[in-house]
């Protein structure tokens, strides 16, 4: 076998780090940005060990700092609503094997990305005269290593997001007496901080399938197939608890397509007849969404809501869904 010996900056002498029958070996668990001395010996079958090989010195790579986490952009507007300044803020970046020395701000002008500023602060202000199409921020450590870049997507005031929310519905009251729980998904397009700070506006389209239910004895109905497809406009207000967690209470209004295939029993004669309900009507939602931001692009969310088929005495239901939000 061959034996690999290692000496770090805090070691008084070489220590045996590994043994292998091959002619190469990958050492793991070394500290970053650190110099190590190494040599190798050969061991015979009888156990005799050779003199050390030539000694080499290796310096492990420096680990770049983490990507800065962009906070909500603070914008000021003129009396006519024109954006005058956008103040970009970010949470201080961390470095696993050193310290962050500064931040670099890049801007997209046309098709070219240019370095426009270096700063030790955690803020940068863009004016309307800068005409930047997009702004990015990176962190630089004391060894000169640069992190990946964080995209400031809401610079122009349009923080656009796409999301998908699979979840469940649970009918209540008379609706629940004749229809079982349902499952489906909602796709949404949302604008954050549109017109006013923390205002959230969006549109969403959903599709849910509800289980049939035999309630002929009590409600004189037996549902076989139930589909619901709501199309709604949503408005809410975003309470940002910190740079990671947010809570949005919201309301939604729109239209819903409702389809039901059922058996209806006459209360007097007990004669049964098959019926199909296929109609479009108004619907209203109210709920609360809690969000956890993973990074600049992705957020996970949990929504709890209650819906009502307007004009119906039996169209009340509640729901729970879990969504993935992608920031454009």
């Amino acid at each position: 076998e061959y034996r690999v010996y290692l000496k770090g900056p805090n070691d008084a002498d070489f220590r045996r780090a590994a043994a292998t029958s091959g002619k190469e070996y990958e050492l793991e668990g070394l500290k970053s940005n650190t110099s190590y001395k190494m040599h190798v010996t050969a061991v015979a079958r009888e156990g005799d060990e050779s003199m050390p090989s030539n000694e080499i010195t290796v310096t492990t790579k420096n680990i770049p700092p983490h990507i800065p986490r962009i906070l909500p952009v603070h914008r000021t507007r003129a009396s006519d609503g024109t954006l005058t300044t956008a103040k970009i803020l970010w949470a201080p970046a961390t470095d696993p094997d050193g310290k962050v020395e500064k931040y670099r701000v890049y801007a997209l002008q046309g098709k070219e990305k240019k370095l426009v500023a270096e700063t030790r602060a955690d803020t940068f202000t863009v004016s309307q005269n800068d005409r930047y199409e997009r702004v990015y921020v990176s962190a630089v450590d004391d060894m000169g290593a640069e992190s990946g870049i964080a995209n400031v997507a809401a610079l122009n005031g349009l923080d656009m997001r796409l999301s998908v929310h699979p979840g469940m519905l649970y009918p209540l009251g008379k609706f629940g007496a004749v229809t079982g729980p349902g499952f489906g998904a909602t796709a949404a397009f949302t604008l954050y901080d549109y017109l006013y700070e923390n205002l959230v506006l969006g549109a969403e389209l959903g599709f849910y399938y509800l289980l049939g239910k035999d309630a002929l004895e009590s409600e004189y109905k037996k549902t076989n197939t139930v589909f619901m497809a709501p199309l709604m406009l949503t408005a809410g207000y975003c309470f940002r608890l910190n740079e990671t967690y947010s809570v949005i209470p919201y309301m939604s209004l729109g239209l819903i397509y409702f389809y039901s295939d059922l058996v209806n029993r006459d209360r007097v004669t007990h004669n049964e007849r098959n019926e199909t309900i296929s109609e479009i009507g108004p619907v209203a939602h109210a709920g609360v969404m809690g969000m956890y931001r993973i990074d600049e692009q992705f957020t996970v969310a949990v929504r709890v809501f209650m819906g009502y088929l307007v004009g119906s005495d039996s169209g009340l239901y509640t729901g729970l869904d879990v969504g993935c939000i992608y920031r454009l």
Side-chain angles (χ1 to χ4, degrees), residues 165-172 182-186 204 206-208 228 230 232 234 248-252 256 283-290 301-308 315-323:
H165 303 264
M168 297 188 64
L169 292 181
Y170 191 82
L172 302 174
F183 56 89
T186 297
E204 59 181 56
F207 182 84
Y208 290 90
M228 292 170 49
M232 295 181 291
T234 299
I248 301 178
Y250 68 93
M251 294 189 65
S252 303
I256 189 168
V283 63
H285 270 192
V288 177
M289 179 167 65
V302 177
R303 300 195 304 182
V304 179
F305 58 88
M306 181 166 288
Y308 181 63
L316 190 65
Y317 57 89
T318 186
L320 171 69
D321 60 34
V322 179

Side-chain angles (χ1 to χ4, degrees), residues 6 13 19 29 45 157 162 168 170 203 207 246 252 268 297 324:
L6 181 70
D13 202 354
R45 185 173 300 171
L162 296 175
M168 297 188 64
Y170 191 82
F207 182 84
S246 302
S252 303
V268 178
Q297 265 66 51
C324 179

Side-chain angles (χ1 to χ4, degrees), residues 112-164:
E112 187 176 357
K113 187 188 299 181
K114 296 182 179 180
L115 176 65
V116 295
E118 289 190 349
T119 176
R120 294 180 180 271
D122 53 5
T123 180
F124 180 77
T125 301
V126 177
S127 71
Q128 59 180 351
N129 297 325
D130 293 325
R131 301 185 182 279
Y132 297 150
E133 297 180 27
R134 196 174 288 267
V135 172
Y136 311 86
V137 180
S138 66
V140 181
D141 68 10
D142 52 347
M143 299 296 294
E146 186 174 7
S147 72
I149 58 174
N151 178 16
V152 185
L155 179 63
N156 61 358
L158 290 179
D159 183 354
M160 299 180 290
R161 309 190 189 189
L162 296 175
S163 58
V164 177

Side-chain angles (χ1 to χ4, degrees), residues 143-281:
M143 299 296 294
E146 186 174 7
S147 72
I149 58 174
N151 178 16
V152 185
L155 179 63
N156 61 358
L158 290 179
D159 183 354
M160 299 180 290
R161 309 190 189 189
L162 296 175
S163 58
V164 177
H165 303 264
M168 297 188 64
L169 292 181
Y170 191 82
L172 302 174
K174 293 183 178 180
F175 194 22
V178 297
T179 306
F183 56 89
T186 297
F189 172 79
T190 310
L191 293 174
Y192 284 70
D193 301 315
Y194 184 64
L195 299 178
Y196 300 99
E197 292 289 332
N198 300 318
L199 179 63
V200 180
L201 300 176
E204 59 181 56
L205 174 65
F207 182 84
Y208 290 90
Y209 169 77
L210 286 79
L211 301 177
K213 195 170 186 179
D214 188 353
L216 286 173
E217 297 303 322
S218 58
E219 291 289 335
Y220 296 88
K221 294 180 185 296
K222 177 182 179 182
T223 54
N224 299 315
T225 303
V226 179
F227 297 110
M228 292 170 49
L231 174 62
M232 295 181 291
L233 298 178
T234 299
Y237 188 88
C238 182
F239 293 93
R240 294 181 170 93
L241 307 182
N242 52 41
E243 67 270 18
T244 303
Y245 295 96
S246 302
V247 176
I248 301 178
Y250 68 93
M251 294 189 65
S252 303
L253 293 174
L255 298 174
I256 189 168
Y257 172 71
F258 184 88
Y259 175 89
S260 178
D261 192 6
L262 54 89
V263 176
N264 208 344
R265 175 183 291 174
D266 188 276
R267 295 177 181 268
V268 178
T269 64
H270 284 204
N271 292 330
E272 297 181 0
R273 65 181 185 276
N274 295 326
E275 292 185 5
T276 297
I277 299 175
S278 178
E279 59 184 27
I280 298 176

Side-chain angles (χ1 to χ4, degrees), residues 44-58:
R45 185 173 300 171
E46 295 79 10
D48 298 326
E49 187 172 4
S50 73
M51 295 293 291
S53 69
N54 57 304
E55 184 180 294
I56 63 170
T57 300
V58 175

